[in-house]
Amino acid sequence: MQRIAIVGTTGSGKSVLAERLAPLLGAEHVELDALFWTAGWRPVLPELFRQRVEAATSGERWIVAGNYGQVRDLVWSRADTLIWLDYPLPLVLRRLALRTRGGVG
């Protein structure tokens, strides 16, 4: 496992898993949200987003957290491992509620 893509619904724990795995595997943690959103929660232009993702996934070891159809072709074609987090809806909703209140999911 050199290049890992982690996908799942909002609140499933993609970012947490990527943050924890990256140092264990000596991989860079790539957060797609950080590449997509600018100040004030404004999205970047699609071309810029693709360029950022292309640059972030050009290395040998990375873990990408996020679901963005606009760059799925880039991420999935370069990944050697796909982790799909698929938890029951009540668990995901509880995690989202805790995260929204500032707690840990």
Side-chain angles (χ1 to χ4, degrees):
M1 293 190 305
Q2 305 284 323
R3 295 170 307 281
I4 302 169
I6 302 174
V7 298
T9 62
T10 299
S12 62
K14 299 177 298 292
S15 297
V16 172
L17 180 58
E19 287 171 11
R20 292 181 181 171
L21 273 180
L24 296 174
L25 300 176
E28 179 183 352
H29 171 215
V30 178
E31 184 65 48
L32 292 183
D33 283 343
L35 302 178
F36 184 78
W37 298 105
T38 63
W41 290 101
R42 286 186 274 249
V44 297
L45 294 173
E47 303 82 28
L48 178 57
F49 182 43
R50 287 186 63 83
Q51 289 171 3
R52 289 177 173 181
V53 171
E54 195 162 11
T57 58
S58 65
E60 291 186 32
R61 294 171 88 63
W62 45 260
I63 300 176
V64 169
N67 295 326
Y68 284 86
Q70 306 96 307
V71 294
R72 183 175 298 134
D73 61 318
L74 294 174
V75 176
W76 287 22
S77 67
R78 295 174 178 185
D80 61 27
T81 304
L82 175 65
I83 298 173
W84 198 300
L85 302 178
D86 184 21
Y87 296 112
L89 183 60
L91 174 63
V92 172
L93 291 176
R94 183 177 64 80
R95 286 179 173 176
L96 283 172
L98 287 170
R99 186 171 76 183
T100 301
R101 290 192 320 237
V104 177

